[in-house]
Amino acid sequence: MAYSDQLLDDGSEIWEAQKQHPFVQELADGTLDEEAFRYWIKQDYRYLLDYARLFAIAGAKARDEETMTDLLYIAHSTLSNEMELHREFASDYGISREELERVEKSPTCEAYTSFLLRTAYEGSIAEISAALFPCGQGFLDIGEHTAALATEEHRYTPWIEMYTSDEFREVVTLMRDFVDRCGEQYPGEHDAMREAFLTSARLEYQFWEMAYTREEWEY
């Protein structure tokens, strides 16, 4: 079994919880509160800036040309493609780029990005591969899940199309290949990889909850 599949098996309960979350369910049928979606756009935009930084740091740590090329490509794709689509979503919902760039991270977004960047700077290349995997694979799986649930086009159809596009599938394939190479090359790090993967997966679930409840700092 490829190590990416093993990690997905280990995180299957979290994966299912994400698919059943009301944010995802309501996004699929088009009934999600617009303010919850606006909140998600703003927070995910801030998240993606650090997610792209994670790939850039990982690319600099890579010791082989293939891995370096793949990771820097994903960093560029995140900055130039995925974030541009977020800016388009934001514009459609009356959110300016200036407003996006002023957004304060929520507690969950701060926790997630801090974990990713700490892993990037302090962790091994194997741990990094596992920490970044839940976001990419998770959004592809939830994109496919929402596409299967949607019975007609609605205002969130462009979101579903973005995360089931050929371009996004290509990026996720590169992520999986990276995880599998690390799983094969560093068998002694499987426990650390699993821990990093599950931490990111749990934070992915919390990100949906954060957006649905429009989490704020208490003080």
Side-chain angles (χ1 to χ4, degrees):
M1 176 186 289
Y3 195 63
S4 59
D5 290 326
Q6 179 63 58
L7 291 176
L8 291 171
D9 280 353
D10 292 341
S12 60
E13 184 176 349
I14 305 169
W15 240 245
E16 184 59 28
Q18 290 190 74
K19 292 178 180 179
Q20 297 304 319
H21 194 280
F23 186 103
V24 172
Q25 294 288 313
E26 293 170 20
L27 185 145
D29 64 23
T31 62
L32 179 66
D33 188 312
E34 184 176 307
E35 287 305 310
F37 191 69
R38 284 169 54 87
Y39 181 102
W40 177 84
I41 292 170
K42 293 177 182 180
Q43 291 296 322
D44 203 55
Y45 187 84
R46 292 302 312 275
Y47 169 88
L48 285 174
L49 284 169
D50 285 331
Y51 194 55
R53 191 172 288 117
L54 169 68
F55 284 98
I57 296 168
K61 283 189 168 186
R63 292 293 179 264
D64 65 276
E65 183 178 348
E66 180 182 10
T67 300
M68 183 182 294
T69 300
D70 288 350
L71 295 176
L72 295 179
Y73 169 78
I74 296 172
H76 180 266
S77 177
T78 301
L79 290 167
S80 64
N81 296 330
E82 192 171 0
M83 291 188 69
E84 180 57 32
L85 287 168
H86 276 57
R87 285 188 284 270
E88 292 176 8
F89 281 142
S91 178
D92 290 342
Y93 285 85
I95 306 167
S96 68
R97 181 164 181 171
E98 292 73 21
E99 185 178 354
L100 281 176
E101 293 172 351
R102 291 196 305 268
V103 169
E104 179 183 22
K105 291 179 184 175
S106 71
T108 295
C109 186
E110 182 66 48
Y112 196 178
T113 56
S114 294
F115 167 71
L116 291 176
L117 291 178
R118 184 175 72 251
T119 303
Y121 283 110
E122 299 178 4
S124 67
I125 196 74
E127 287 177 278
I128 295 170
S129 75
L132 60 82
F133 186 43
C135 181
Q137 187 65 55
F139 269 78
L140 175 58
D141 290 348
I142 287 175
E144 292 177 338
H145 179 66
T146 53
L149 291 178
T151 58
E152 59 185 7
E153 289 194 3
H154 51 68
R155 59 184 170 176
Y156 301 125
T157 297
W159 187 98
I160 296 171
E161 291 174 341
M162 176 171 74
Y163 288 111
T164 53
S165 67
D166 290 341
E167 293 81 3
F168 190 69
R169 291 177 188 278
E170 178 188 10
V171 166
V172 175
T173 296
L174 294 176
M175 290 185 201
R176 287 194 72 138
D177 289 346
F178 178 36
V179 172
D180 290 338
R181 285 198 300 274
C182 287
E184 183 177 348
Q185 293 171 10
Y186 307 108
E189 296 209 41
H190 282 188
D191 287 347
M193 290 176 72
R194 181 179 184 275
E195 182 177 352
F197 173 84
L198 291 176
T199 298
S200 283
R202 293 181 180 114
L203 286 163
E204 280 291 314
Y205 175 84
Q206 288 302 129
F207 211 90
W208 301 119
E209 179 69 10
M210 167 207 78
Y212 196 69
T213 61
R214 282 164 269 173
E215 176 187 79
E216 296 181 355
W217 293 96
E218 292 189 11
Y219 299 102

